[in-house]
Amino acid sequence: ATDRHTRAIVVQLNSIRKPRKFMSAARLASRLKPVVVLKPHDQSFHQSDLIYDAAFSRAGLIRVSTLEDFMTAIETLHALKPLTQNGLMVVASAYSLGNMTLDTLRSHGGNIAMLSDETVTALQLALPQHFAKGFTDSLSDNIPQNPIKVGDYMPPENLKVVLEILIKERSLGGILVVNSATHQVRDTALAQIICDIATKTRIPIMASWIGGLHAKWAIDVLKKHHVAHYSSPSDAVTEFARASAY
């Protein structure tokens, strides 16, 4: 925990022989850096499993129960910057993608970010052809909020403008860009914009590219620049909710 070269601690745990010593060490470690514990849930010992959950939560540990979640959590800790707020803003290529992503966030107890009047005005002035009447169809008063759709097929120039405005919003805990892969050149340009903007802000920016092999080029760009990428929006919001809870 005190090693300055160690950014996070990952633990595979079966049982705890000395609970008091473990809790003391766990509290100390989690104050200094994130600690992820792989402890599969045991349905045959439900009560003891609840005790583990309570103990890990009290000590500030992040619990995962599968190897897949364990590896995803490690990748998140490597790529995601520390959170200063806990609200997530979703920028999507389609309302359906954005709304489904936020539904998953709600189911995990995550917080949906809302924009200040200043940010709303800046977005409407920057791209009036898209945002003059609001860019979410879920609010009757047409106030742009969350999720944000930046035009059909997510034009790269629109995404750049939107992200540059959003990173000035102090209330955001993170930004998730969700896109359905359509074209190699456009997708690569979008990914590069995300990487460039990510270097300008302390707000964590994540991405989820949907489209299998068609998303490969964009994903390669994101990973090369250490931007957190998830194969599904569900995985992205699950990890953001975990990081936010931590």
Side-chain angles (χ1 to χ4, degrees), residues 162-181:
V162 168
L163 290 181
E164 286 181 337
I165 292 173
L166 288 180
I167 62 175
K168 299 175 183 177
E169 173 65 67
R170 295 182 179 181
S171 67
L172 298 188
I175 300 170
L176 171 61
V177 180
V178 182
N179 185 47
S180 179

PDB file of all heavy atoms in Angstrom, residues 162-181:
ATOM      1  N   VAL A 162     -18.703  18.854 -28.552  1.00  0.00           N
ATOM      2  CA  VAL A 162     -19.457  18.458 -27.356  1.00  0.00           C
ATOM      3  C   VAL A 162     -18.523  18.089 -26.204  1.00  0.00           C
ATOM      4  O   VAL A 162     -18.704  18.537 -25.065  1.00  0.00           O
ATOM      5  CB  VAL A 162     -20.399  17.280 -27.686  1.00  0.00           C
ATOM      6  CG1 VAL A 162     -20.970  16.670 -26.407  1.00  0.00           C
ATOM      7  CG2 VAL A 162     -21.526  17.753 -28.586  1.00  0.00           C
ATOM      8  N   LEU A 163     -17.502  17.294 -26.484  1.00  0.00           N
ATOM      9  CA  LEU A 163     -16.580  16.882 -25.420  1.00  0.00           C
ATOM     10  C   LEU A 163     -15.800  18.060 -24.866  1.00  0.00           C
ATOM     11  O   LEU A 163     -15.572  18.157 -23.646  1.00  0.00           O
ATOM     12  CB  LEU A 163     -15.626  15.805 -25.932  1.00  0.00           C
ATOM     13  CG  LEU A 163     -16.231  14.434 -26.215  1.00  0.00           C
ATOM     14  CD1 LEU A 163     -15.150  13.459 -26.699  1.00  0.00           C
ATOM     15  CD2 LEU A 163     -16.922  13.866 -24.978  1.00  0.00           C
ATOM     16  N   GLU A 164     -15.382  18.987 -25.732  1.00  0.00           N
ATOM     17  CA  GLU A 164     -14.633  20.144 -25.257  1.00  0.00           C
ATOM     18  C   GLU A 164     -15.472  21.017 -24.331  1.00  0.00           C
ATOM     19  O   GLU A 164     -14.948  21.653 -23.410  1.00  0.00           O
ATOM     20  CB  GLU A 164     -14.118  20.966 -26.449  1.00  0.00           C
ATOM     21  CG  GLU A 164     -12.952  20.297 -27.171  1.00  0.00           C
ATOM     22  CD  GLU A 164     -12.434  21.113 -28.341  1.00  0.00           C
ATOM     23  OE1 GLU A 164     -13.220  21.934 -28.864  1.00  0.00           O
ATOM     24  OE2 GLU A 164     -11.266  20.916 -28.729  1.00  0.00           O
ATOM     25  N   ILE A 165     -16.770  21.033 -24.555  1.00  0.00           N
ATOM     26  CA  ILE A 165     -17.666  21.789 -23.661  1.00  0.00           C
ATOM     27  C   ILE A 165     -17.925  21.003 -22.375  1.00  0.00           C
ATOM     28  O   ILE A 165     -17.901  21.564 -21.274  1.00  0.00           O
ATOM     29  CB  ILE A 165     -18.990  22.116 -24.382  1.00  0.00           C
ATOM     30  CG1 ILE A 165     -18.726  23.111 -25.515  1.00  0.00           C
ATOM     31  CG2 ILE A 165     -20.017  22.680 -23.403  1.00  0.00           C
ATOM     32  CD1 ILE A 165     -19.928  23.377 -26.398  1.00  0.00           C
ATOM     33  N   LEU A 166     -18.150  19.711 -22.505  1.00  0.00           N
ATOM     34  CA  LEU A 166     -18.485  18.900 -21.338  1.00  0.00           C
ATOM     35  C   LEU A 166     -17.355  18.848 -20.312  1.00  0.00           C
ATOM     36  O   LEU A 166     -17.604  18.808 -19.102  1.00  0.00           O
ATOM     37  CB  LEU A 166     -18.848  17.477 -21.765  1.00  0.00           C
ATOM     38  CG  LEU A 166     -20.193  17.292 -22.463  1.00  0.00           C
ATOM     39  CD1 LEU A 166     -20.393  15.824 -22.831  1.00  0.00           C
ATOM     40  CD2 LEU A 166     -21.338  17.778 -21.594  1.00  0.00           C
ATOM     41  N   ILE A 167     -16.100  18.841 -20.754  1.00  0.00           N
ATOM     42  CA  ILE A 167     -15.003  18.720 -19.790  1.00  0.00           C
ATOM     43  C   ILE A 167     -14.858  19.973 -18.925  1.00  0.00           C
ATOM     44  O   ILE A 167     -14.113  19.966 -17.938  1.00  0.00           O
ATOM     45  CB  ILE A 167     -13.659  18.403 -20.478  1.00  0.00           C
ATOM     46  CG1 ILE A 167     -13.245  19.517 -21.439  1.00  0.00           C
ATOM     47  CG2 ILE A 167     -13.736  17.063 -21.191  1.00  0.00           C
ATOM     48  CD1 ILE A 167     -11.865  19.314 -22.050  1.00  0.00           C
ATOM     49  N   LYS A 168     -15.587  21.036 -19.275  1.00  0.00           N
ATOM     50  CA  LYS A 168     -15.589  22.245 -18.447  1.00  0.00           C
ATOM     51  C   LYS A 168     -16.686  22.201 -17.376  1.00  0.00           C
ATOM     52  O   LYS A 168     -16.744  23.077 -16.522  1.00  0.00           O
ATOM     53  CB  LYS A 168     -15.773  23.477 -19.326  1.00  0.00           C
ATOM     54  CG  LYS A 168     -14.663  23.673 -20.353  1.00  0.00           C
ATOM     55  CD  LYS A 168     -14.956  24.847 -21.281  1.00  0.00           C
ATOM     56  CE  LYS A 168     -13.884  24.979 -22.355  1.00  0.00           C
ATOM     57  NZ  LYS A 168     -14.189  26.070 -23.326  1.00  0.00           N
ATOM     58  N   GLU A 169     -17.538  21.182 -17.448  1.00  0.00           N
ATOM     59  CA  GLU A 169     -18.630  21.013 -16.490  1.00  0.00           C
ATOM     60  C   GLU A 169     -18.095  20.365 -15.218  1.00  0.00           C
ATOM     61  O   GLU A 169     -17.740  19.187 -15.202  1.00  0.00           O
ATOM     62  CB  GLU A 169     -19.738  20.161 -17.105  1.00  0.00           C
ATOM     63  CG  GLU A 169     -20.865  19.779 -16.160  1.00  0.00           C
ATOM     64  CD  GLU A 169     -21.663  20.971 -15.680  1.00  0.00           C
ATOM     65  OE1 GLU A 169     -22.353  21.610 -16.502  1.00  0.00           O
ATOM     66  OE2 GLU A 169     -21.583  21.252 -14.467  1.00  0.00           O
ATOM     67  N   ARG A 170     -18.033  21.115 -14.137  1.00  0.00           N
ATOM     68  CA  ARG A 170     -17.396  20.642 -12.918  1.00  0.00           C
ATOM     69  C   ARG A 170     -18.183  19.552 -12.186  1.00  0.00           C
ATOM     70  O   ARG A 170     -17.636  18.842 -11.352  1.00  0.00           O
ATOM     71  CB  ARG A 170     -17.182  21.820 -11.961  1.00  0.00           C
ATOM     72  CG  ARG A 170     -16.205  22.859 -12.496  1.00  0.00           C
ATOM     73  CD  ARG A 170     -15.991  23.975 -11.492  1.00  0.00           C
ATOM     74  NE  ARG A 170     -15.033  24.959 -11.981  1.00  0.00           N
ATOM     75  CZ  ARG A 170     -14.659  26.032 -11.291  1.00  0.00           C
ATOM     76  NH1 ARG A 170     -15.185  26.255 -10.090  1.00  0.00           N
ATOM     77  NH2 ARG A 170     -13.790  26.870 -11.814  1.00  0.00           N
ATOM     78  N   SER A 171     -19.463  19.417 -12.501  1.00  0.00           N
ATOM     79  CA  SER A 171     -20.285  18.447 -11.770  1.00  0.00           C
ATOM     80  C   SER A 171     -20.148  17.025 -12.296  1.00  0.00           C
ATOM     81  O   SER A 171     -20.672  16.088 -11.689  1.00  0.00           O
ATOM     82  CB  SER A 171     -21.760  18.864 -11.833  1.00  0.00           C
ATOM     83  OG  SER A 171     -22.247  18.766 -13.166  1.00  0.00           O
ATOM     84  N   LEU A 172     -19.451  16.840 -13.412  1.00  0.00           N
ATOM     85  CA  LEU A 172     -19.366  15.505 -14.010  1.00  0.00           C
ATOM     86  C   LEU A 172     -18.338  14.632 -13.301  1.00  0.00           C
ATOM     87  O   LEU A 172     -17.223  15.064 -13.024  1.00  0.00           O
ATOM     88  CB  LEU A 172     -18.993  15.604 -15.497  1.00  0.00           C
ATOM     89  CG  LEU A 172     -19.969  16.333 -16.424  1.00  0.00           C
ATOM     90  CD1 LEU A 172     -19.532  16.164 -17.869  1.00  0.00           C
ATOM     91  CD2 LEU A 172     -21.391  15.839 -16.233  1.00  0.00           C
ATOM     92  N   GLY A 173     -18.733  13.390 -13.056  1.00  0.00           N
ATOM     93  CA  GLY A 173     -17.792  12.422 -12.513  1.00  0.00           C
ATOM     94  C   GLY A 173     -17.109  11.634 -13.610  1.00  0.00           C
ATOM     95  O   GLY A 173     -15.997  11.144 -13.444  1.00  0.00           O
ATOM     96  N   GLY A 174     -17.784  11.508 -14.750  1.00  0.00           N
ATOM     97  CA  GLY A 174     -17.219  10.767 -15.865  1.00  0.00           C
ATOM     98  C   GLY A 174     -18.056  10.971 -17.116  1.00  0.00           C
ATOM     99  O   GLY A 174     -19.214  11.393 -17.046  1.00  0.00           O
ATOM    100  N   ILE A 175     -17.449  10.677 -18.259  1.00  0.00           N
ATOM    101  CA  ILE A 175     -18.135  10.766 -19.557  1.00  0.00           C
ATOM    102  C   ILE A 175     -17.967   9.424 -20.261  1.00  0.00           C
ATOM    103  O   ILE A 175     -16.854   8.911 -20.366  1.00  0.00           O
ATOM    104  CB  ILE A 175     -17.548  11.880 -20.435  1.00  0.00           C
ATOM    105  CG1 ILE A 175     -17.678  13.242 -19.746  1.00  0.00           C
ATOM    106  CG2 ILE A 175     -18.245  11.906 -21.804  1.00  0.00           C
ATOM    107  CD1 ILE A 175     -16.905  14.352 -20.448  1.00  0.00           C
ATOM    108  N   LEU A 176     -19.066   8.873 -20.731  1.00  0.00           N
ATOM    109  CA  LEU A 176     -19.031   7.620 -21.481  1.00  0.00           C
ATOM    110  C   LEU A 176     -19.534   7.876 -22.893  1.00  0.00           C
ATOM    111  O   LEU A 176     -20.658   8.345 -23.082  1.00  0.00           O
ATOM    112  CB  LEU A 176     -19.902   6.553 -20.811  1.00  0.00           C
ATOM    113  CG  LEU A 176     -20.128   5.262 -21.607  1.00  0.00           C
ATOM    114  CD1 LEU A 176     -18.805   4.546 -21.873  1.00  0.00           C
ATOM    115  CD2 LEU A 176     -21.096   4.343 -20.867  1.00  0.00           C
ATOM    116  N   VAL A 177     -18.691   7.576 -23.890  1.00  0.00           N
ATOM    117  CA  VAL A 177     -19.084   7.705 -25.293  1.00  0.00           C
ATOM    118  C   VAL A 177     -19.470   6.317 -25.801  1.00  0.00           C
ATOM    119  O   VAL A 177     -18.657   5.392 -25.788  1.00  0.00           O
ATOM    120  CB  VAL A 177     -17.939   8.285 -26.147  1.00  0.00           C
ATOM    121  CG1 VAL A 177     -18.393   8.413 -27.602  1.00  0.00           C
ATOM    122  CG2 VAL A 177     -17.504   9.647 -25.604  1.00  0.00           C
ATOM    123  N   VAL A 178     -20.720   6.188 -26.236  1.00  0.00           N
ATOM    124  CA  VAL A 178     -21.233   4.905 -26.737  1.00  0.00           C
ATOM    125  C   VAL A 178     -21.521   5.052 -28.222  1.00  0.00           C
ATOM    126  O   VAL A 178     -22.288   5.925 -28.639  1.00  0.00           O
ATOM    127  CB  VAL A 178     -22.523   4.495 -25.994  1.00  0.00           C
ATOM    128  CG1 VAL A 178     -23.008   3.143 -26.508  1.00  0.00           C
ATOM    129  CG2 VAL A 178     -22.288   4.448 -24.498  1.00  0.00           C
ATOM    130  N   ASN A 179     -20.899   4.196 -29.026  1.00  0.00           N
ATOM    131  CA  ASN A 179     -21.051   4.322 -30.473  1.00  0.00           C
ATOM    132  C   ASN A 179     -21.199   2.957 -31.119  1.00  0.00           C
ATOM    133  O   ASN A 179     -20.590   1.978 -30.699  1.00  0.00           O
ATOM    134  CB  ASN A 179     -19.833   5.044 -31.068  1.00  0.00           C
ATOM    135  CG  ASN A 179     -19.990   5.301 -32.556  1.00  0.00           C
ATOM    136  OD1 ASN A 179     -21.025   5.781 -33.005  1.00  0.00           O
ATOM    137  ND2 ASN A 179     -18.962   4.991 -33.326  1.00  0.00           N
ATOM    138  N   SER A 180     -22.002   2.910 -32.159  1.00  0.00           N
ATOM    139  CA  SER A 180     -22.149   1.702 -32.968  1.00  0.00           C
ATOM    140  C   SER A 180     -21.271   1.846 -34.199  1.00  0.00           C
ATOM    141  O   SER A 180     -21.428   2.792 -34.980  1.00  0.00           O
ATOM    142  CB  SER A 180     -23.612   1.513 -33.383  1.00  0.00           C
ATOM    143  OG  SER A 180     -23.760   0.367 -34.178  1.00  0.00           O
ATOM    144  N   ALA A 181     -20.313   0.945 -34.354  1.00  0.00           N
ATOM    145  CA  ALA A 181     -19.338   1.041 -35.444  1.00  0.00           C
ATOM    146  C   ALA A 181     -20.037   1.025 -36.799  1.00  0.00           C
ATOM    147  O   ALA A 181     -20.902   0.190 -37.064  1.00  0.00           O
ATOM    148  CB  ALA A 181     -18.342  -0.105 -35.358  1.00  0.00           C
TER     149      ALA A 181
END
